[in-house]
Amino acid sequence: MSTKILVTVKEVAEVDDEFEISGLDIDDRYLEYDLNEWDDYAVEEAVQLSEAGDDVEVVTVTLGPERSEETIRMALAKGADRAVRVWDDALADAGLLDATTKADLLAAVVESEEPDLVLTGVQAADDSFGATGVALAERVGFEWAAVVNDLDYDADANVSSVRRELEGGVEELTDVEGPAVLTIQTGINEPRYASLRGIRQAQRKPLDVHALDDLGLDESVVDSPVDLTSMYEPESEGDAVVWEGSPDETADELATFLREQGVVEG
Amino acid sequence: MARLRCSVELSDSQRLVRDNIRELCSEFDDEYWRRNDREARYPTEFVDLLGEHGWLGILLPEEYGGAGMGTPEVVVMMEEIAAGGGGFATAQAIHGGVYNSVPLVKYAHEELKEELLPAVAAGEQSIQAFGLTEPNAGSDSTSIETFAERDGDGYVINGQKIWTSRVDQSDYLLLMARTTPKADVDKRTRGISMFLVDLADANRQGALDMEQIPKTASTAVHAFELWFDDLRVPADRLIGEEGDGFYQVLDGLNEERLAIAAECIGLGEAALERGVDYAKEREVFDAPIGTNQAIQHPLAESYMHLQAAKGLVFDAAGRVTDEDSTATGTLANTSKYLAAEACYEAADAAVQTHGGFGVAREYDVERYFREARLTRLVPVTQQLALNYVAENELRLPRSY
């Protein structure tokens, strides 16, 4: 019996220490793009499942412009079998895509791919909504588990035994029946480096691009109650003190400081 | 974080190579490269990581487990390794491992290729060392005296090599030796042959003596003087045709030279980045020193020269072939010459920007400077690159 795992991957922007804001965004000159850290763990988890099982296909799906293909190829180089990229002029024009819009777009892909399991990252490092995975599950009517840091997947029964992080250091062990969406937490595994052969193969793996039309959607999918109205850098409310020197010296200085501030007594 | 790189248009596969090498380099912090230099310690951990992930087989055909990539990808790999903090030394630590197997692909018999190349591609066996230069034959390489004499089912080799790098980090040595004395050949480039020497076997025979050459740049990559005393090499370890070895070396030399040019670019970018960062951070007289044009201009100028050289190197990487033609020779020599000059200029500007701290080990620019100076000497001096262009491209009389 074959298993299909769909992994959502996002190309995220990383900002330089110093940057400038231009309109509603950070000036592109200060941005570098990379695979979202959480998604790296989700890809690794899927690839490990495909290596452990028979006939497991790993498909990645990305919402992003052509530039994001670099990130997608990285995931393919690490072992995903093929990739789907969704993009459209309407998405480019919309600017901010909220979690509902993303869930609608991804749902269209889930409906056409019919995966047994969907893995997403817990959140994206740039907008940090942390909502897309669960919103997607609701949208397609799948079971879900969020912030999964351990996964034992039974492909025959399509049941995921997961450990998930709750607030305050509490963890929950639970079984989730498939098809399901699991949002993957960092630390669940150790993401691999791509091998050079993997990189070579990645260039030959299929990467299909879908516009809204291809997914049976129209431009209304980007309508959102959420508007990005301004972008600014919050003012710092406190100053950091940095001590330089050996641990012995700096520990003394820190202790004195903490006493003076009344943080500790004695 | 944003890294200082001169801009060139990269293909998809070049971008993948860049991103992945960057990721591998980010495993290692500045102190790692610093310590390797200070303690003259080979970057074993880094090289093992590259080997494990197949990077030493980047040029090997896929049928032997390699990646089947070419010079356009190698230049990106080498630039990133050097620019990632490790400098020229770290790129040199694997340079031989990548290039010495290339003549085997072309000239070795199938049995040897099938036995050895997949292991090289997997990082399990290495051909890091290449022995050509001798005390009495430096740039004048057809004057080598190391001699291989046919004896039954093999060859017996006697002679001496110098400046042979990475012998201590290699399973094999690709060795050039005369099989006909120079006096007995009608063309000086004939009568030289290429052998693959199993170093463990050579040591077992007690036929190899080696002594490390103390040096002040690229200290992490050790260079040796070697002596061969009746070293027996089986006849099937002759690579290619007897007497044709020199041509086999020339073949592919231009592509390798471009990889070295890219290593220079990477080193220049690393040095320049340090200079620029320091110029922004260091405040004297209540302003960052980078406010002053005396600091800005040398940095800006070296950026321009690096950018120009990088444009040429990457363009040449897409155009060279393994033919030993004047056109490719000129491209490769010009690229290497300009890249080394630009990298030296960048390293010098970075040191000057640092003022007295320019010689403090913890700021790394002194290490980059020592390495940048070396790039103007290896694999051949800048003057030899000029000679090449003068003689072959401009058709001026041969000067030596």
Coordinates of all heavy atoms in Angstrom, one line a residue, chain A residues 14-18 29 32 34 40 69-71 73-74 77-78 192-197 199-204, chain B residues 1-3 12-13 15-20 22-24 26-27 49 53-55 57-58 62 65-69:
Chain A
E14 N 15.1 36.4 5.8 CA 15.9 36.7 7.0 C 16.4 38.1 6.9 O 16.8 38.5 5.8 CB 17.0 35.7 7.1 CG 16.5 34.3 7.5 CD 17.7 33.3 7.5 OE1 18.8 33.7 7.2 OE2 17.3 32.1 7.7
V15 N 16.3 38.8 8.0 CA 16.7 40.3 7.9 C 18.1 40.5 8.5 O 18.4 39.9 9.5 CB 15.6 41.1 8.8 CG1 15.8 42.6 8.6 CG2 14.2 40.7 8.4
D16 N 18.8 41.4 7.9 CA 20.1 41.8 8.4 C 19.9 42.4 9.8 O 18.9 42.9 10.1 CB 20.7 42.9 7.5 CG 21.4 42.2 6.3 OD1 21.5 41.0 6.3 OD2 21.9 43.0 5.5
D17 N 21.0 42.5 10.5 CA 21.0 43.2 11.8 C 20.5 44.7 11.6 O 19.7 45.2 12.4 CB 22.3 43.3 12.5 CG 22.7 41.9 13.0 OD1 21.8 41.0 13.0 OD2 23.9 41.6 13.2
E18 N 21.0 45.3 10.6 CA 20.6 46.7 10.3 C 19.8 46.7 9.0 O 20.2 46.0 8.1 CB 21.9 47.6 10.1 CG 22.5 47.9 11.4 CD 23.8 48.7 11.2 OE1 23.8 49.5 10.4 OE2 24.8 48.4 11.9
R29 N 16.9 44.9 -0.1 CA 18.4 44.8 0.0 C 18.8 44.2 1.3 O 20.0 43.8 1.4 CB 19.0 46.2 -0.1 CG 18.9 46.9 -1.4 CD 19.6 48.2 -1.4 NE 18.8 49.1 -0.5 CZ 19.3 50.2 0.0 NH1 20.6 50.5 -0.1 NH2 18.6 51.0 0.8
E32 N 17.6 38.2 3.1 CA 18.1 36.9 2.4 C 17.0 35.9 2.6 O 16.3 35.9 3.6 CB 19.3 36.5 3.1 CG 20.6 37.2 2.5 CD 21.8 36.4 2.9 OE1 21.9 35.2 2.6 OE2 22.7 37.1 3.5
D34 N 15.6 31.9 2.7 CA 16.0 30.6 3.1 C 14.8 29.7 3.4 O 13.7 30.3 3.6 CB 16.9 30.7 4.3 CG 17.8 29.5 4.4 OD1 17.7 28.6 3.6 OD2 18.7 29.5 5.3
D40 N 12.1 22.7 7.6 CA 13.3 21.9 7.4 C 13.1 20.6 8.2 O 13.4 19.5 7.7 CB 14.5 22.6 7.8 CG 15.8 22.0 7.2 OD1 15.7 21.2 6.3 OD2 16.9 22.4 7.7
E69 N 11.9 28.8 -5.8 CA 12.3 27.4 -6.4 C 13.6 27.0 -5.8 O 13.9 25.8 -5.7 CB 12.2 27.4 -7.9 CG 10.8 27.5 -8.4 CD 10.6 27.2 -9.9 OE1 11.6 26.8 -10.5 OE2 9.5 27.3 -10.3
E70 N 14.5 28.0 -5.5 CA 15.8 27.7 -4.9 C 15.6 26.9 -3.6 O 16.3 25.9 -3.4 CB 16.5 29.0 -4.7 CG 18.0 28.8 -4.4 CD 18.7 30.1 -4.3 OE1 18.2 31.1 -4.9 OE2 19.6 30.2 -3.5
T71 N 14.7 27.4 -2.8 CA 14.4 26.8 -1.5 C 13.7 25.4 -1.7 O 14.0 24.4 -1.1 CB 13.4 27.7 -0.8 OG1 14.0 28.9 -0.6 CG2 13.1 27.1 0.6
R73 N 14.1 23.4 -4.3 CA 15.1 22.4 -4.8 C 15.9 21.9 -3.6 O 16.4 20.8 -3.6 CB 16.0 23.1 -5.8 CG 15.3 23.5 -7.1 CD 15.2 22.3 -8.1 NE 14.5 22.7 -9.3 CZ 13.8 21.9 -10.0 NH1 13.7 20.6 -9.7 NH2 13.1 22.3 -11.1
M74 N 16.1 22.8 -2.6 CA 16.9 22.3 -1.4 C 16.1 21.1 -0.8 O 16.7 20.1 -0.4 CB 17.0 23.4 -0.4 CG 18.2 24.4 -0.6 SD 19.8 23.6 -0.3 CE 20.1 24.4 1.3
A77 N 16.5 18.2 -2.8 CA 17.9 17.6 -2.6 C 18.0 16.8 -1.4 O 18.8 15.9 -1.3 CB 18.9 18.8 -2.7
K78 N 17.2 17.2 -0.4 CA 17.2 16.4 0.9 C 16.4 15.2 0.9 O 16.3 14.5 1.8 CB 16.8 17.4 2.0 CG 17.9 18.4 2.3 CD 17.5 19.4 3.4 CE 18.6 20.4 3.5 NZ 18.5 21.2 4.8
R192 N 19.1 16.8 7.8 CA 20.3 16.4 7.2 C 20.8 17.6 6.3 O 20.1 18.5 5.9 CB 20.1 15.2 6.3 CG 19.3 15.5 5.1 CD 18.8 14.2 4.4 NE 17.9 13.4 5.3 CZ 17.6 12.1 5.1 NH1 18.0 11.5 4.1 NH2 16.7 11.5 5.9
Y193 N 22.1 17.5 5.9 CA 22.6 18.3 4.8 C 22.3 17.5 3.5 O 22.4 16.3 3.5 CB 24.1 18.5 4.9 CG 24.5 19.3 6.1 CD1 25.3 18.8 7.1 CD2 24.1 20.6 6.2 CE1 25.6 19.5 8.2 CE2 24.5 21.4 7.3 CZ 25.2 20.8 8.3 OH 25.6 21.6 9.3
A194 N 22.0 18.2 2.5 CA 21.8 17.5 1.2 C 23.2 16.9 0.8 O 24.2 17.5 1.0 CB 21.4 18.5 0.1
S195 N 23.1 15.8 0.1 CA 24.3 15.2 -0.5 C 24.5 15.8 -1.9 O 23.5 16.2 -2.4 CB 24.3 13.7 -0.5 OG 23.4 13.3 -1.5
L196 N 25.7 15.7 -2.4 CA 25.9 16.3 -3.7 C 25.0 15.5 -4.8 O 24.5 16.1 -5.7 CB 27.3 16.3 -4.1 CG 27.7 17.0 -5.3 CD1 27.2 18.4 -5.3 CD2 29.2 17.0 -5.5
R197 N 24.9 14.2 -4.6 CA 24.1 13.4 -5.5 C 22.6 13.8 -5.4 O 21.9 13.9 -6.4 CB 24.2 11.9 -5.1 CG 25.4 11.3 -5.8 CD 25.5 9.8 -5.4 NE 24.6 8.9 -6.2 CZ 24.8 8.7 -7.5 NH1 25.8 9.2 -8.2 NH2 24.1 7.8 -8.1
I199 N 21.6 16.8 -4.6 CA 21.5 18.0 -5.3 C 21.4 17.8 -6.8 O 20.6 18.4 -7.5 CB 22.7 18.9 -5.0 CG1 22.7 19.3 -3.6 CG2 22.8 20.1 -5.9 CD1 24.0 19.9 -3.1
R200 N 22.2 16.9 -7.3 CA 22.1 16.6 -8.7 C 20.7 16.0 -9.1 O 20.2 16.4 -10.1 CB 23.2 15.5 -9.0 CG 23.4 15.2 -10.4 CD 24.1 16.3 -11.1 NE 24.3 16.0 -12.5 CZ 24.6 16.8 -13.4 NH1 24.8 18.1 -13.1 NH2 24.8 16.5 -14.7
Q201 N 20.3 15.1 -8.3 CA 19.0 14.5 -8.6 C 17.8 15.5 -8.5 O 16.9 15.5 -9.2 CB 18.7 13.3 -7.6 CG 19.5 12.1 -8.0 CD 19.7 11.1 -6.8 OE1 19.2 11.4 -5.7 NE2 20.3 10.0 -7.1
A202 N 18.0 16.5 -7.6 CA 16.9 17.5 -7.3 C 16.6 18.3 -8.6 O 15.5 18.7 -8.8 CB 17.3 18.4 -6.2
Q203 N 17.6 18.4 -9.4 CA 17.4 19.2 -10.6 C 16.6 18.5 -11.6 O 16.0 19.1 -12.5 CB 18.8 19.6 -11.2 CG 19.5 20.6 -10.3 CD 20.9 20.8 -10.7 OE1 21.8 20.0 -10.4 NE2 21.1 21.9 -11.4
R204 N 16.4 17.2 -11.5 CA 15.6 16.4 -12.4 C 14.3 16.1 -11.9 O 13.5 15.5 -12.5 CB 16.4 15.1 -12.8 CG 17.7 15.3 -13.4 CD 18.3 14.0 -13.9 NE 19.7 14.1 -14.0 CZ 20.6 13.4 -13.3 NH1 20.2 12.5 -12.5 NH2 21.9 13.6 -13.5
Chain B
M1 N 23.2 35.7 8.0 CA 23.4 37.2 7.7 C 23.9 37.4 6.3 O 24.5 36.6 5.7 CB 24.5 37.7 8.8 CG 23.8 38.1 10.1 SD 22.4 39.2 9.9 CE 21.0 38.0 9.9
A2 N 23.7 38.6 5.9 CA 24.1 39.0 4.6 C 25.7 38.8 4.5 O 26.4 39.3 5.4 CB 23.8 40.4 4.3
R3 N 26.1 38.2 3.5 CA 27.5 38.1 3.3 C 28.0 38.9 2.1 O 27.2 39.1 1.2 CB 27.9 36.6 3.0 CG 27.4 35.7 4.1 CD 27.3 34.3 3.5 NE 27.0 33.3 4.5 CZ 25.8 32.9 4.8 NH1 24.7 33.5 4.2 NH2 25.5 32.0 5.8
D12 N 20.7 27.7 -11.7 CA 20.0 26.9 -10.7 C 21.0 26.0 -9.9 O 21.0 25.9 -8.7 CB 18.9 26.1 -11.2 CG 17.7 27.0 -11.6 OD1 17.7 28.2 -11.3 OD2 16.8 26.5 -12.3
S13 N 21.8 25.3 -10.7 CA 22.7 24.3 -10.1 C 23.8 25.0 -9.3 O 24.2 24.6 -8.2 CB 23.2 23.3 -11.0 OG 24.1 23.9 -11.9
R15 N 23.4 27.9 -7.8 CA 22.8 28.4 -6.5 C 22.6 27.2 -5.5 O 22.8 27.5 -4.3 CB 21.4 29.0 -6.8 CG 21.5 30.4 -7.3 CD 20.2 31.2 -7.0 NE 19.2 30.7 -7.9 CZ 18.9 31.1 -9.1 NH1 19.6 32.2 -9.6 NH2 18.0 30.6 -9.9
L16 N 22.3 26.1 -6.0 CA 22.1 24.9 -5.1 C 23.5 24.6 -4.4 O 23.6 24.3 -3.2 CB 21.6 23.7 -5.8 CG 20.1 23.6 -5.8 CD1 19.7 22.4 -6.7 CD2 19.5 23.3 -4.4
V17 N 24.5 24.6 -5.2 CA 25.9 24.4 -4.7 C 26.2 25.4 -3.7 O 26.7 25.1 -2.6 CB 26.9 24.3 -5.9 CG1 28.3 24.4 -5.3 CG2 26.7 23.1 -6.7
R18 N 26.0 26.7 -4.0 CA 26.3 27.8 -3.1 C 25.6 27.6 -1.8 O 26.2 27.7 -0.7 CB 25.9 29.1 -3.7 CG 26.2 30.3 -2.8 CD 25.5 31.6 -3.3 NE 24.1 31.4 -3.2 CZ 23.2 32.2 -3.7 NH1 23.6 33.3 -4.4 NH2 21.9 32.0 -3.6
D19 N 24.3 27.4 -1.8 CA 23.5 27.3 -0.6 C 23.9 26.1 0.3 O 24.0 26.2 1.5 CB 22.0 27.1 -0.9 CG 21.4 28.4 -1.6 OD1 22.1 29.4 -1.7 OD2 20.3 28.3 -2.2
N20 N 24.2 25.0 -0.4 CA 24.6 23.8 0.4 C 26.0 23.9 1.0 O 26.2 23.5 2.1 CB 24.4 22.6 -0.5 CG 23.0 22.1 -0.6 OD1 22.5 21.6 0.4 ND2 22.3 22.5 -1.7
R22 N 27.4 26.7 1.8 CA 27.2 27.7 2.9 C 26.7 27.0 4.1 O 27.2 27.3 5.2 CB 26.2 28.7 2.4 CG 26.7 30.1 2.4 CD 25.7 31.1 1.9 NE 26.4 31.9 0.9 CZ 25.8 32.9 0.3 NH1 24.6 33.3 0.6 NH2 26.5 33.7 -0.5
E23 N 25.7 26.1 3.9 CA 25.2 25.4 5.1 C 26.2 24.6 5.8 O 26.3 24.6 7.0 CB 24.0 24.6 4.6 CG 22.9 24.4 5.6 CD 21.7 23.7 5.0 OE1 21.7 22.5 4.9 OE2 20.8 24.4 4.6
L24 N 27.0 23.9 5.0 CA 28.1 23.0 5.6 C 29.1 23.9 6.3 O 29.6 23.5 7.4 CB 28.7 22.2 4.5 CG 27.9 21.1 3.8 CD1 28.6 20.5 2.7 CD2 27.5 20.0 4.8
S26 N 28.7 26.7 7.7 CA 28.2 27.3 8.9 C 28.3 26.5 10.1 O 28.1 26.9 11.2 CB 26.7 27.8 8.7 OG 25.9 26.7 8.6
E27 N 28.6 25.2 9.9 CA 28.8 24.3 11.1 C 30.1 24.7 11.8 O 30.3 24.3 12.9 CB 29.1 22.9 10.5 CG 28.0 22.0 10.2 CD 27.5 21.2 11.3 OE1 28.2 20.3 11.8 OE2 26.3 21.4 11.8
L49 N 33.3 16.0 6.5 CA 31.9 16.4 6.2 C 31.6 16.6 4.7 O 30.6 16.1 4.2 CB 31.5 17.7 7.0 CG 30.1 18.1 7.0 CD1 29.2 17.1 7.8 CD2 29.9 19.5 7.6
H53 N 29.3 13.9 2.3 CA 28.2 14.3 1.4 C 28.5 14.3 0.0 O 27.8 15.0 -0.8 CB 27.7 15.7 1.9 CG 27.0 15.5 3.3 ND1 27.7 15.6 4.5 CD2 25.7 15.3 3.6 CE1 26.9 15.4 5.5 NE2 25.7 15.2 5.0
G54 N 29.6 13.7 -0.4 CA 29.9 13.5 -1.8 C 30.6 14.6 -2.6 O 30.8 14.6 -3.8
W55 N 31.0 15.7 -1.8 CA 31.5 16.9 -2.5 C 32.9 16.6 -3.2 O 33.2 17.3 -4.1 CB 31.6 18.0 -1.6 CG 30.3 18.6 -1.3 CD1 29.5 18.2 -0.2 CD2 29.5 19.5 -2.1 NE1 28.3 18.8 -0.3 CE2 28.2 19.6 -1.4 CE3 29.7 20.1 -3.3 CZ2 27.2 20.4 -1.9 CZ3 28.7 20.9 -3.7 CH2 27.4 21.1 -3.1
G57 N 33.5 14.2 -5.0 CA 33.2 13.6 -6.3 C 32.5 14.5 -7.2 O 31.9 14.1 -8.2
I58 N 32.6 15.8 -7.0 CA 31.8 16.8 -7.8 C 32.1 16.7 -9.2 O 31.2 16.8 -10.1 CB 32.0 18.2 -7.2 CG1 31.0 19.2 -8.0 CG2 33.4 18.7 -7.3 CD1 30.9 20.6 -7.4
E62 N 28.7 10.4 -13.1 CA 27.7 9.8 -12.2 C 27.8 8.3 -12.2 O 27.5 7.6 -11.2 CB 26.3 10.2 -12.7 CG 26.0 11.6 -12.3 CD 24.6 12.1 -12.8 OE1 23.7 11.9 -12.0 OE2 24.5 12.6 -13.9
G65 N 29.6 7.2 -9.3 CA 29.1 7.7 -8.0 C 29.3 9.1 -7.8 O 29.0 9.7 -6.7
G66 N 29.8 9.8 -8.8 CA 30.1 11.3 -8.7 C 28.8 12.1 -9.0 O 27.7 11.5 -9.3
A67 N 29.0 13.4 -9.1 CA 27.9 14.3 -9.4 C 27.9 14.7 -10.8 O 26.9 15.3 -11.3 CB 28.0 15.5 -8.5
G68 N 29.0 14.4 -11.5 CA 29.0 14.8 -12.9 C 28.9 16.3 -13.2 O 28.3 16.7 -14.2
M69 N 29.3 17.1 -12.3 CA 29.2 18.5 -12.5 C 30.5 19.0 -13.1 O 31.4 18.2 -13.4 CB 29.0 19.2 -11.2 CG 27.5 19.0 -10.6 SD 27.3 19.9 -9.1 CE 25.5 19.6 -8.8

